[in-house]
């Protein structure tokens, strides 16, 4: 899944940069060093920076306009914003029981919609885990709860970042996310 989200807050869990064309590996190494030294990208506080680069040559059988092309794929904690918007949209639909009739015709949903509610809970927990990954305590996050069988202890989210209310809560209009494209320094 490819998503555009605001990466100004949060941190990267990992990055993969695929560069195709005539590139000097030493230039790539120097650019990565500058990124690390200047701290242009914030990585998770509880682990090493995972920045992988794959270099490849262009096909001699295809004509290309550009000398170099690239693709950057990232796993960033800002993805929780997408999950939060999904939860808000689900809560709106579920509150009004919109589009539910088609599912009620299926045998699995004839008696109740527990599958939907369970899926909502999974998405909510995933959102909370991405938020917890931004903190240094993430390494121990959920370890004690796994031993006792209790729910995971999720750190409190700042009030300005709370997006998705629990099921049945009031749902406000959510803000659109602006896409941000990160560029490497020359």
């Amino acid at each position: 899944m490819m998503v555009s989200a605001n990466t100004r807050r949060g941190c990267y869990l990992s990055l993969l940069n695929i560069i195709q064309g005539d590139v000097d590996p030493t230039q790539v190494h120097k650019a990565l060093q500058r990124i690390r030294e200047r701290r242009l990208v914030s990585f998770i506080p509880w682990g090493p920076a995972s920045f992988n680069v794959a270099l490849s040559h262009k096909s001699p059988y295809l004509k290309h306009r550009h000398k170099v092309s690239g693709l950057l794929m990232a796993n960033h904690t800002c993805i929780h914003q997408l999950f939060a918007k999904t939860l808000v949209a689900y809560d709106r639909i579920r509150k009004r029981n919109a589009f539910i009739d088609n599912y009620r015709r299926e045998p699995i949903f004839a008696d109740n919609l527990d599958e939907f509610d369970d899926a909502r809970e999974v998405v909510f927990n995933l959102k909370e885990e991405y938020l917890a990954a931004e903190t240094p305590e993430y390494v121990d996050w959920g370890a004690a709860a796994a031993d006792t069988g209790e729910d995971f202890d999720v750190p409190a989210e700042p009030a300005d970042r709370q997006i998705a209310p629990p099921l049945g809560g009031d749902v406000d209009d959510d803000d659109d996310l602006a896409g941000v494209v990160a560029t490497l320094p020359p």
Side-chain angles (χ1 to χ4, degrees):
M1 170 171 64
M2 296 188 72
V3 173
S4 177
N6 188 351
T7 58
R8 291 184 184 147
R9 289 187 186 165
C11 51
Y12 287 93
L13 280 77
S14 62
L15 292 165
L16 171 63
N17 195 359
I18 302 171
I19 302 171
Q20 188 178 41
D22 297 327
V23 178
D24 183 14
T26 57
Q27 287 179 339
V28 173
H29 181 70
K30 287 179 184 178
L32 291 175
Q33 287 293 73
R34 278 195 304 263
I35 289 171
R36 286 188 185 118
E37 289 170 1
R38 295 179 189 170
R39 297 184 182 184
L40 299 173
V41 177
S42 63
F43 284 94
I44 48 176
W46 45 266
S50 176
F51 198 114
N52 298 315
V53 178
L55 301 175
S56 66
H57 296 287
K58 290 196 175 202
S59 172
Y61 303 108
L62 299 174
K63 291 185 180 183
H64 301 281
R65 287 184 177 173
H66 305 287
K67 189 175 178 181
V68 176
S69 62
L71 172 68
L72 176 66
M73 292 191 296
N75 187 2
H76 195 278
T77 58
C78 72
I79 194 70
H80 77 84
Q81 297 168 350
L82 173 73
F83 296 138
K85 288 181 83 165
T86 302
L87 290 170
V88 168
Y90 172 78
D91 288 343
R92 285 180 180 161
I93 289 172
R94 187 79 162 94
K95 186 176 180 181
R96 295 182 182 126
N97 283 330
F99 310 108
I100 300 296
D101 295 340
N102 293 333
Y103 292 101
R104 292 249 186 224
R105 293 182 197 136
E106 299 297 323
I108 192 171
F109 301 117
D111 297 330
N112 57 39
L113 299 172
D114 289 343
E115 293 290 326
F116 285 113
D117 297 333
D118 292 343
R120 187 213 184 275
E121 186 68 25
V122 168
V123 173
F124 180 79
N125 289 338
L126 186 58
K127 175 184 104 48
E128 295 297 316
E129 186 163 358
Y130 268 103
L131 284 171
E134 296 177 357
T135 64
E137 295 82 25
Y138 178 71
V139 175
D140 298 325
W141 185 76
D147 294 338
T148 61
E150 298 175 10
D151 288 339
F152 292 124
D153 183 27
V154 178
E157 184 177 359
D160 65 332
R161 294 182 63 188
Q162 291 181 355
I163 298 176
L167 186 62
D170 292 335
V171 179
D172 296 330
D173 288 335
D174 50 314
D175 298 328
D176 290 331
L177 297 175
V180 176
V181 177
T183 59
L184 293 175

